[in-house]
Amino acid sequence: MDVQENKCTDLVEKTDTKNADQRPKWDNKAQYLLTCIGFAVGLGNVWRFPYLCQTYGGGAFLIPYLIALVCEGLPLLYMELAIGQNLRTGSIGVWNSISPYLCGVGLASMTVSFLVGLFYNTILAWVLWYFLNSFRNPLPWHHCPTALNLTEHIEECKQSTPANYFWYRETLNISPNIDINGGIEGKLVLCLAAAWCIVYFCFIRGIETIGKAIYVTAIFPYVVLTIFLIQSLTLPGATLGIQNLFSPNWETLKDPRVWLDAATQIFFSLSLAFGGLIAFSSYNPQKNNCERDAVLVGCINSFTSIYASIPIFAILGFKAQTNYLECINSHVNTWAVALNISDNNVTEASYELWFTHLNSTNPSFVKEHNLKMCDLNAFLNQSASGTGLAFIVFTEAVTKMPGSQVWAVLFFIMLFTLGLSSMFGSLEGVLTPLLDLHIIPKRIPKELLTGLICLVSFTIALIFCLRSGNYWLEIFNSYVGSVPLLVIAFFEIIAVVCVYGVNRFSDDIEWMTGRRPNLYWQVMWRVISPLMLLVVFLAYVIVEAQKQPTYKAWNPNHVDFPKAEDQPYPSWVFNICVLLPAVPCCLIPLGVLYRFIQLLHKYTTDRNTPEAYDVET
């Protein structure tokens, strides 16, 4: 082991001495911190964390979330920033330097970053489409379009909502199931091309251009969130939404899925195991306090999740109360026309008594008019996450706000800048390892290589512009950004603890920061974090294995339309679902096998080479 460590040390020192002057550097510490924060803080902070918080007991969810941050998130974040800063190379170079047998870990990180970038930038293309449509007056998702006869609204829209129709039909033109690919939507292709062009021009010269763009992409979302917070708190029903978000339900803590989702949320929210954080920290000077950086980035990321939840659910509370009052007014108007009940006699406070009385005395009337009691809690609990929250629920809420166009424009600019910062990290997680491998000829300029990566990514991402593209994006989102990252992170921490050595790693950190990692970090790295990763991985696999893989299809011919139709994946699609996480994970043992074959080949060659005295004889 000592011989291997000495070889690793010599390799790192030679690499560092050779590239110390050539490697780019951040202009200042603020650029580096903002870039790491921008990479960590992404769309999931806005549309995933609030959903989990509302679903799993409101404020009670913060307990497992914070435990996961302390026991899993911060230790792994600190480890990645420190190892990248110390070895000053990308993800492949870092793990290959520690041991040649770990080259597959870096390859797996690079593969995941590439695959995630494919669908992540497609979401930014959708955001661009909505941003452009936000300048229309009225907003196109405010009302149903007129049918060809010009006398009625389109039936699909009438059965659902204008926001649903604009998303599923006018934006995606979605097919009724994943088997029907349909054609490519030209408007989405143009938006996707524009999104990749923006990413390219912001990234064209690596951290030199990222460092300039990040001042806008990392700071602007906080400005917009603050504006939304001030405006949302003035809306009627805002307090209802906030109370619904944070009111603790302690019983939910007995559900193991709460702890599983909390652990995975903090893990993915910090963008661990992508390789981007290792790459960014490798551009730091080695004498830098990476411990303070890790704590700062981790805490700001979690604070952002909570901070973003407040305006989001204040506005959703406003939407719920508005829908509730509209429901009551609709019932009162029906009663006034059919039963000659004066609308002055029915108030919000007395509505429930009136409905209960009518349902008991005249149930045939209630059934004939398909009346269901208006329930404020039901409107408040209409939760959604991901694209459903951003492109359906929130857009519908914005239409009910005064000055809806302004708020729509601000909201989608905020989403785009959030996603753009995360794309920088994903692309860095691909480009830096490629450059550090030295497999790209030096005559190819970095600008051209970046352009080729963006062009290849755009070409492959055209699958998401098909009419079935949304189904494929959900597959990539569910299977690429889950199990592979847990596996990569587990092998990362095992590599540092068992191969590189915690004591040696602590010596490096002491040399870089001036102080040795305290007992908390030592315990987390040695025991708690790897154990927690292993438990989360096994629990995730067990939970997923018990479920039949299904997807939600938008099918106007479905009996319960507009409710989404749950359909099982066809066998060929299911095989792809298995293949997507398997490929990055398999690169790790394949890397070990490749190095072992190299060792055997070298051993065989050395044995078959005659010694000098044999030749003389």
Side-chain angles (χ1 to χ4, degrees):
M1 180 61 73
D2 292 337
V3 175
Q4 184 181 3
E5 287 184 356
N6 290 334
K7 288 182 179 179
C8 291
T9 304
D10 293 340
L11 177 62
V12 173
E13 288 177 353
K14 289 178 182 178
T15 304
D16 186 60
T17 304
K18 182 179 179 181
N19 298 328
D21 296 329
Q22 300 177 0
R23 196 165 188 82
K25 298 179 181 178
W26 299 103
D27 289 346
N28 51 65
K29 185 66 173 289
Q31 277 189 359
Y32 165 66
L33 288 176
L34 286 175
T35 304
C36 289
I37 291 169
F39 182 36
V41 176
L43 298 175
N45 296 74
V46 174
W47 67 28
R48 178 66 177 165
F49 175 82
Y51 165 77
L52 292 174
C53 207
Q54 184 197 28
T55 304
Y56 292 132
F61 178 74
L62 294 177
I63 294 177
Y65 177 80
L66 293 176
I67 291 175
L69 173 66
V70 172
C71 297
E72 180 188 56
L74 290 179
L76 286 167
L77 179 60
Y78 185 15
M79 185 194 73
E80 288 200 353
L81 295 183
I83 201 77
Q85 180 177 302
N86 181 41
L87 300 182
R88 305 207 70 210
T89 184
S91 58
I92 292 180
V94 161
W95 307 117
N96 193 53
S97 297
I98 291 176
S99 172
Y101 291 94
L102 294 172
C103 63
V105 177
L107 287 171
S109 289
M110 186 178 70
T111 304
V112 171
S113 289
F114 177 75
L115 293 175
V116 169
L118 295 179
F119 73 82
Y120 206 91
N121 216 33
T122 303
I123 297 175
L124 296 191
W126 294 342
V127 171
L128 272 180
W129 168 252
Y130 267 77
F131 168 73
L132 295 174
N133 280 277
S134 297
F135 292 96
R136 293 169 59 181
N137 188 21
L139 292 172
W141 52 84
H142 183 268
H143 57 274
C144 286
T146 307
L148 293 176
N149 58 18
L150 302 179
T151 58
E152 296 180 353
H153 293 299
I154 293 177
E155 186 63 27
E156 182 180 348
C157 184
K158 286 168 59 179
Q159 292 180 12
S160 55
T161 65
N164 272 319
Y165 181 81
F166 185 82
W167 167 240
Y168 286 111
R169 189 56 54 212
E170 296 197 12
T171 299
L172 302 176
N173 193 20
I174 197 166
S175 59
N177 58 65
I178 198 170
D179 280 317
I180 303 175
N181 287 323
I184 290 181
E185 293 296 309
K187 59 182 180 294
L188 296 183
V189 174
L190 292 176
C191 290
L192 183 63
W196 276 110
C197 285
I198 292 172
V199 169
Y200 172 70
F201 285 115
C202 289
F203 198 86
I204 189 170
R205 301 191 66 184
I207 65 170
E208 296 179 34
T209 47
I210 290 175
K212 306 298 185 295
I214 202 66
Y215 288 113
V216 176
T217 59
I219 296 175
F220 184 75
Y222 290 95
V223 176
V224 176
L225 280 174
T226 303
I227 294 172
F228 266 104
L229 176 64
I230 296 171
Q231 167 64 14
S232 64
L233 293 177
T234 65
L235 297 173
T239 54
L240 294 173
I242 297 173
Q243 288 173 1
N244 187 59
L245 174 63
F246 289 116
S247 297
N249 179 8
W250 305 111
E251 290 296 318
T252 58
L253 296 180
K254 299 177 182 178
D255 187 349
R257 290 177 301 177
V258 177
W259 297 84
L260 176 60
D261 281 345
T264 53
Q265 171 62 20
I266 195 65
F267 181 83
F268 303 136
S269 177
L270 288 171
S271 300
L272 300 169
F274 280 94
L277 292 170
I278 294 177
F280 286 145
S281 64
S282 71
Y283 300 120
N284 270 337
Q286 288 183 313
K287 293 287 188 177
N288 174 63
N289 192 341
C290 49
E291 178 183 1
R292 182 176 56 196
D293 297 343
V295 174
L296 187 64
V297 171
C299 292
I300 288 177
N301 175 73
S302 296
F303 165 77
T304 304
S305 296
I306 299 171
Y307 187 64
S309 300
I310 297 173
I312 292 291
F313 273 87
I315 292 173
L316 295 181
F318 160 72
K319 171 181 173 289
Q321 178 161 307
T322 303
N323 288 345
Y324 175 65
L325 294 177
E326 289 177 353
C327 178
I328 291 177
N329 291 332
S330 174
H331 285 191
V332 170
N333 291 335
T334 302
W335 298 345
V337 173
L339 303 176
N340 198 27
I341 298 176
S342 174
D343 54 2
N344 294 326
N345 294 334
V346 184
T347 63
E348 182 181 346
S350 64
Y351 162 77
E352 187 173 342
L353 292 174
W354 274 97
F355 189 93
T356 304
H357 173 72
L358 186 63
N359 193 34
S360 61
T361 58
N362 196 352
S364 58
F365 173 82
V366 174
K367 184 176 181 180
E368 178 184 351
H369 290 80
N370 195 26
L371 299 178
K372 296 180 180 179
M373 181 177 288
C374 303
D375 186 354
L376 180 60
N377 288 326
F379 286 114
L380 285 170
N381 291 326
Q382 288 178 349
S383 58
S385 67
T387 54
L389 175 63
F391 299 119
I392 299 176
V393 177
F394 199 83
T395 52
E396 185 178 348
V398 165
T399 61
K400 303 178 186 297
M401 296 170 59
S404 56
Q405 286 175 284
V406 175
W407 300 113
V409 169
L410 284 175
F411 178 68
F412 289 113
I413 291 180
M414 179 191 72
L415 288 185
F416 190 83
T417 52
L418 276 173
L420 191 59
S421 299
S422 297
M423 276 301 301
F424 293 158
S426 295
L427 199 54
E428 189 71 32
V430 176
L431 184 63
T432 300
L434 283 177
L435 293 175
D436 290 340
L437 279 174
H438 304 294
I439 60 174
I440 306 297
K442 291 186 177 180
R443 65 177 179 272
I444 298 180
K446 188 175 182 179
E447 294 83 355
L448 178 59
L449 178 60
T450 304
L452 288 174
I453 294 173
C454 292
L455 181 61
V456 171
S457 300
F458 165 75
T459 305
I460 298 175
L462 289 175
I463 187 177
F464 304 124
C465 296
L466 296 170
R467 290 183 60 192
S468 60
N470 186 55
Y471 305 134
W472 286 109
L473 188 138
E474 289 297 329
I475 288 174
F476 271 69
N477 185 32
S478 300
Y479 293 98
V480 173
S482 55
V483 171
L485 294 176
L486 292 172
V487 173
I488 293 168
F490 178 76
F491 279 98
E492 283 184 353
I493 200 165
I494 292 299
V496 170
V497 173
C498 300
V499 181
Y500 195 78
V502 174
N503 291 332
R504 183 181 173 199
F505 185 51
S506 299
D507 292 339
D508 294 339
I509 291 176
E510 185 177 10
W511 178 77
M512 291 189 296
T513 66
R515 63 177 183 176
R516 199 170 185 81
N518 56 35
L519 182 62
Y520 160 71
W521 299 114
Q522 299 280 347
V523 172
M524 291 299 138
W525 288 330
R526 293 175 187 268
V527 182
I528 304 299
S529 295
L531 183 62
M532 194 168 183
L533 279 172
L534 185 61
V535 169
V536 170
F537 169 73
L538 293 176
Y540 185 89
V541 171
I542 291 171
V543 169
E544 291 298 316
Q546 292 175 346
K547 298 189 301 185
Q548 180 184 10
T550 60
Y551 67 101
K552 294 187 178 298
W554 181 261
N555 184 8
N557 297 321
H558 179 45
V559 176
D560 297 326
F561 183 80
K563 184 179 179 181
E565 181 182 7
D566 283 324
Q567 294 191 17
Y569 283 119
S571 57
W572 66 277
V573 176
F574 177 74
N575 292 334
I576 294 176
C577 294
V578 174
L579 193 64
L580 282 173
V583 168
C585 293
C586 287
L587 288 174
I588 299 175
L590 285 176
V592 175
L593 181 62
Y594 172 72
R595 293 298 188 186
F596 183 69
I597 292 173
Q598 274 190 328
L599 181 64
L600 283 179
H601 177 71
K602 183 176 182 302
Y603 175 76
T604 306
T605 304
D606 291 344
R607 288 200 60 179
N608 293 334
T609 302
E611 298 291 342
Y613 65 84
D614 291 335
V615 175
E616 292 176 2
T617 302

mmCIF file of all heavy atoms in Angstrom, residues 507-528:
data_model
loop_
_atom_site.group_PDB
_atom_site.id
_atom_site.type_symbol
_atom_site.label_atom_id
_atom_site.label_comp_id
_atom_site.label_asym_id
_atom_site.label_seq_id
_atom_site.Cartn_x
_atom_site.Cartn_y
_atom_site.Cartn_z
ATOM 1 N N ASP A 507 -4.202 15.193 6.361
ATOM 2 C CA ASP A 507 -2.931 15.913 6.255
ATOM 3 C C ASP A 507 -2.972 16.929 5.117
ATOM 4 O O ASP A 507 -2.488 18.063 5.257
ATOM 5 C CB ASP A 507 -1.775 14.928 6.016
ATOM 6 C CG ASP A 507 -1.514 14.047 7.230
ATOM 7 O OD1 ASP A 507 -1.909 14.441 8.349
ATOM 8 O OD2 ASP A 507 -0.920 12.960 7.050
ATOM 9 N N ASP A 508 -3.552 16.504 3.988
ATOM 10 C CA ASP A 508 -3.669 17.412 2.846
ATOM 11 C C ASP A 508 -4.523 18.627 3.195
ATOM 12 O O ASP A 508 -4.187 19.761 2.831
ATOM 13 C CB ASP A 508 -4.285 16.675 1.646
ATOM 14 C CG ASP A 508 -3.374 15.578 1.104
ATOM 15 O OD1 ASP A 508 -2.153 15.647 1.369
ATOM 16 O OD2 ASP A 508 -3.888 14.668 0.431
ATOM 17 N N ILE A 509 -5.646 18.376 3.855
ATOM 18 C CA ILE A 509 -6.542 19.473 4.221
ATOM 19 C C ILE A 509 -5.863 20.412 5.217
ATOM 20 O O ILE A 509 -5.989 21.649 5.113
ATOM 21 C CB ILE A 509 -7.856 18.913 4.802
ATOM 22 C CG1 ILE A 509 -8.663 18.211 3.703
ATOM 23 C CG2 ILE A 509 -8.692 20.024 5.440
ATOM 24 C CD1 ILE A 509 -9.928 17.539 4.183
ATOM 25 N N GLU A 510 -5.108 19.834 6.153
ATOM 26 C CA GLU A 510 -4.391 20.676 7.123
ATOM 27 C C GLU A 510 -3.381 21.565 6.412
ATOM 28 O O GLU A 510 -3.198 22.735 6.757
ATOM 29 C CB GLU A 510 -3.697 19.795 8.157
ATOM 30 C CG GLU A 510 -3.033 20.590 9.274
ATOM 31 C CD GLU A 510 -2.414 19.691 10.327
ATOM 32 O OE1 GLU A 510 -2.331 18.465 10.095
ATOM 33 O OE2 GLU A 510 -2.022 20.229 11.384
ATOM 34 N N TRP A 511 -2.712 21.011 5.393
ATOM 35 C CA TRP A 511 -1.756 21.801 4.620
ATOM 36 C C TRP A 511 -2.455 22.904 3.826
ATOM 37 O O TRP A 511 -1.939 24.017 3.703
ATOM 38 C CB TRP A 511 -0.988 20.879 3.675
ATOM 39 C CG TRP A 511 -0.012 21.617 2.801
ATOM 40 C CD1 TRP A 511 1.206 22.104 3.162
ATOM 41 C CD2 TRP A 511 -0.192 21.947 1.417
ATOM 42 N NE1 TRP A 511 1.807 22.723 2.092
ATOM 43 C CE2 TRP A 511 0.975 22.647 1.013
ATOM 44 C CE3 TRP A 511 -1.214 21.717 0.495
ATOM 45 C CZ2 TRP A 511 1.140 23.119 -0.293
ATOM 46 C CZ3 TRP A 511 -1.052 22.189 -0.799
ATOM 47 C CH2 TRP A 511 0.121 22.886 -1.181
ATOM 48 N N MET A 512 -3.675 22.607 3.302
ATOM 49 C CA MET A 512 -4.390 23.593 2.479
ATOM 50 C C MET A 512 -5.070 24.668 3.315
ATOM 51 O O MET A 512 -5.112 25.836 2.922
ATOM 52 C CB MET A 512 -5.440 22.874 1.607
ATOM 53 C CG MET A 512 -4.863 22.013 0.509
ATOM 54 S SD MET A 512 -6.116 21.399 -0.643
ATOM 55 C CE MET A 512 -7.119 20.355 0.417
ATOM 56 N N THR A 513 -5.653 24.279 4.443
ATOM 57 C CA THR A 513 -6.500 25.205 5.213
ATOM 58 C C THR A 513 -5.842 25.704 6.491
ATOM 59 O O THR A 513 -6.305 26.689 7.074
ATOM 60 C CB THR A 513 -7.832 24.529 5.581
ATOM 61 O OG1 THR A 513 -7.585 23.442 6.483
ATOM 62 C CG2 THR A 513 -8.543 24.005 4.345
ATOM 63 N N GLY A 514 -4.814 25.010 6.948
ATOM 64 C CA GLY A 514 -4.164 25.433 8.177
ATOM 65 C C GLY A 514 -4.694 24.746 9.415
ATOM 66 O O GLY A 514 -4.187 24.960 10.524
ATOM 67 N N ARG A 515 -5.720 23.915 9.256
ATOM 68 C CA ARG A 515 -6.219 23.168 10.411
ATOM 69 C C ARG A 515 -6.736 21.804 9.969
ATOM 70 O O ARG A 515 -7.234 21.650 8.855
ATOM 71 C CB ARG A 515 -7.302 23.940 11.158
ATOM 72 C CG ARG A 515 -8.552 24.215 10.368
ATOM 73 C CD ARG A 515 -9.559 24.926 11.251
ATOM 74 N NE ARG A 515 -10.821 25.162 10.559
ATOM 75 C CZ ARG A 515 -11.883 25.706 11.142
ATOM 76 N NH1 ARG A 515 -11.826 26.063 12.412
ATOM 77 N NH2 ARG A 515 -12.994 25.895 10.463
ATOM 78 N N ARG A 516 -6.638 20.859 10.878
ATOM 79 C CA ARG A 516 -7.023 19.482 10.583
ATOM 80 C C ARG A 516 -8.536 19.316 10.741
ATOM 81 O O ARG A 516 -9.147 19.942 11.612
ATOM 82 C CB ARG A 516 -6.289 18.546 11.549
ATOM 83 C CG ARG A 516 -6.223 17.102 11.100
ATOM 84 C CD ARG A 516 -5.279 16.326 12.001
ATOM 85 N NE ARG A 516 -5.112 14.956 11.530
ATOM 86 C CZ ARG A 516 -4.294 14.604 10.564
ATOM 87 N NH1 ARG A 516 -3.550 15.536 9.979
ATOM 88 N NH2 ARG A 516 -4.188 13.343 10.180
ATOM 89 N N PRO A 517 -9.166 18.483 9.904
ATOM 90 C CA PRO A 517 -10.607 18.228 10.058
ATOM 91 C C PRO A 517 -10.928 17.707 11.451
ATOM 92 O O PRO A 517 -10.237 16.815 11.965
ATOM 93 C CB PRO A 517 -10.896 17.171 8.982
ATOM 94 C CG PRO A 517 -9.832 17.352 7.964
ATOM 95 C CD PRO A 517 -8.613 17.801 8.715
ATOM 96 N N ASN A 518 -11.984 18.250 12.054
ATOM 97 C CA ASN A 518 -12.308 17.887 13.438
ATOM 98 C C ASN A 518 -12.991 16.522 13.514
ATOM 99 O O ASN A 518 -13.162 15.827 12.500
ATOM 100 C CB ASN A 518 -13.172 18.969 14.090
ATOM 101 C CG ASN A 518 -14.449 19.235 13.293
ATOM 102 O OD1 ASN A 518 -15.026 18.319 12.699
ATOM 103 N ND2 ASN A 518 -14.898 20.478 13.260
ATOM 104 N N LEU A 519 -13.406 16.158 14.720
ATOM 105 C CA LEU A 519 -13.977 14.832 14.955
ATOM 106 C C LEU A 519 -15.249 14.603 14.151
ATOM 107 O O LEU A 519 -15.509 13.484 13.682
ATOM 108 C CB LEU A 519 -14.268 14.666 16.456
ATOM 109 C CG LEU A 519 -14.828 13.303 16.889
ATOM 110 C CD1 LEU A 519 -13.830 12.187 16.593
ATOM 111 C CD2 LEU A 519 -15.184 13.328 18.382
ATOM 112 N N TYR A 520 -16.053 15.656 13.984
ATOM 113 C CA TYR A 520 -17.307 15.522 13.215
ATOM 114 C C TYR A 520 -17.027 15.012 11.802
ATOM 115 O O TYR A 520 -17.642 14.038 11.340
ATOM 116 C CB TYR A 520 -18.028 16.872 13.178
ATOM 117 C CG TYR A 520 -19.035 17.002 12.058
ATOM 118 C CD1 TYR A 520 -20.229 16.290 12.080
ATOM 119 C CD2 TYR A 520 -18.779 17.832 10.967
ATOM 120 C CE1 TYR A 520 -21.152 16.404 11.043
ATOM 121 C CE2 TYR A 520 -19.685 17.961 9.939
ATOM 122 C CZ TYR A 520 -20.871 17.243 9.969
ATOM 123 O OH TYR A 520 -21.768 17.365 8.944
ATOM 124 N N TRP A 521 -16.092 15.667 11.095
ATOM 125 C CA TRP A 521 -15.790 15.259 9.718
ATOM 126 C C TRP A 521 -15.215 13.845 9.694
ATOM 127 O O TRP A 521 -15.546 13.048 8.801
ATOM 128 C CB TRP A 521 -14.806 16.231 9.081
ATOM 129 C CG TRP A 521 -15.286 17.641 8.969
ATOM 130 C CD1 TRP A 521 -14.794 18.736 9.614
ATOM 131 C CD2 TRP A 521 -16.376 18.126 8.160
ATOM 132 N NE1 TRP A 521 -15.496 19.864 9.271
ATOM 133 C CE2 TRP A 521 -16.478 19.521 8.372
ATOM 134 C CE3 TRP A 521 -17.271 17.527 7.289
ATOM 135 C CZ2 TRP A 521 -17.418 20.317 7.750
ATOM 136 C CZ3 TRP A 521 -18.231 18.317 6.650
ATOM 137 C CH2 TRP A 521 -18.301 19.686 6.884
ATOM 138 N N GLN A 522 -14.353 13.539 10.654
ATOM 139 C CA GLN A 522 -13.721 12.220 10.680
ATOM 140 C C GLN A 522 -14.758 11.112 10.833
ATOM 141 O O GLN A 522 -14.716 10.096 10.121
ATOM 142 C CB GLN A 522 -12.715 12.161 11.842
ATOM 143 C CG GLN A 522 -11.578 13.157 11.754
ATOM 144 C CD GLN A 522 -10.474 12.703 10.821
ATOM 145 O OE1 GLN A 522 -10.438 11.549 10.411
ATOM 146 N NE2 GLN A 522 -9.574 13.606 10.481
ATOM 147 N N VAL A 523 -15.695 11.301 11.752
ATOM 148 C CA VAL A 523 -16.732 10.289 11.991
ATOM 149 C C VAL A 523 -17.633 10.151 10.774
ATOM 150 O O VAL A 523 -18.014 9.036 10.369
ATOM 151 C CB VAL A 523 -17.543 10.637 13.257
ATOM 152 C CG1 VAL A 523 -18.743 9.708 13.408
ATOM 153 C CG2 VAL A 523 -16.664 10.566 14.500
ATOM 154 N N MET A 524 -17.996 11.272 10.171
ATOM 155 C CA MET A 524 -18.870 11.226 8.993
ATOM 156 C C MET A 524 -18.211 10.485 7.836
ATOM 157 O O MET A 524 -18.825 9.624 7.202
ATOM 158 C CB MET A 524 -19.233 12.657 8.557
ATOM 159 C CG MET A 524 -20.134 13.392 9.529
ATOM 160 S SD MET A 524 -21.720 12.549 9.756
ATOM 161 C CE MET A 524 -21.919 12.710 11.517
ATOM 162 N N TRP A 525 -16.972 10.825 7.546
ATOM 163 C CA TRP A 525 -16.286 10.186 6.418
ATOM 164 C C TRP A 525 -16.029 8.703 6.659
ATOM 165 O O TRP A 525 -16.169 7.898 5.736
ATOM 166 C CB TRP A 525 -14.954 10.894 6.155
ATOM 167 C CG TRP A 525 -15.092 12.253 5.549
ATOM 168 C CD1 TRP A 525 -16.101 12.685 4.726
ATOM 169 C CD2 TRP A 525 -14.200 13.357 5.708
ATOM 170 N NE1 TRP A 525 -15.894 13.997 4.371
ATOM 171 C CE2 TRP A 525 -14.734 14.430 4.954
ATOM 172 C CE3 TRP A 525 -13.013 13.555 6.410
ATOM 173 C CZ2 TRP A 525 -14.109 15.675 4.895
ATOM 174 C CZ3 TRP A 525 -12.391 14.792 6.336
ATOM 175 C CH2 TRP A 525 -12.925 15.841 5.582
ATOM 176 N N ARG A 526 -15.661 8.362 7.863
ATOM 177 C CA ARG A 526 -15.278 6.982 8.149
ATOM 178 C C ARG A 526 -16.476 6.039 8.290
ATOM 179 O O ARG A 526 -16.404 4.877 7.868
ATOM 180 C CB ARG A 526 -14.446 6.918 9.437
ATOM 181 C CG ARG A 526 -13.088 7.572 9.356
ATOM 182 C CD ARG A 526 -12.396 7.567 10.706
ATOM 183 N NE ARG A 526 -11.159 8.321 10.712
ATOM 184 C CZ ARG A 526 -9.956 7.801 10.457
ATOM 185 N NH1 ARG A 526 -9.860 6.506 10.191
ATOM 186 N NH2 ARG A 526 -8.871 8.557 10.489
ATOM 187 N N VAL A 527 -17.576 6.529 8.876
ATOM 188 C CA VAL A 527 -18.676 5.622 9.236
ATOM 189 C C VAL A 527 -20.029 6.088 8.705
ATOM 190 O O VAL A 527 -20.660 5.399 7.891
ATOM 191 C CB VAL A 527 -18.759 5.462 10.780
ATOM 192 C CG1 VAL A 527 -19.865 4.470 11.145
ATOM 193 C CG2 VAL A 527 -17.426 5.010 11.358
ATOM 194 N N ILE A 528 -20.480 7.259 9.168
ATOM 195 C CA ILE A 528 -21.881 7.656 8.978
ATOM 196 C C ILE A 528 -22.240 7.848 7.510
ATOM 197 O O ILE A 528 -23.223 7.274 7.024
ATOM 198 C CB ILE A 528 -22.197 8.945 9.777
ATOM 199 C CG1 ILE A 528 -21.858 8.760 11.259
ATOM 200 C CG2 ILE A 528 -23.667 9.323 9.596
ATOM 201 C CD1 ILE A 528 -22.643 7.668 11.932
#
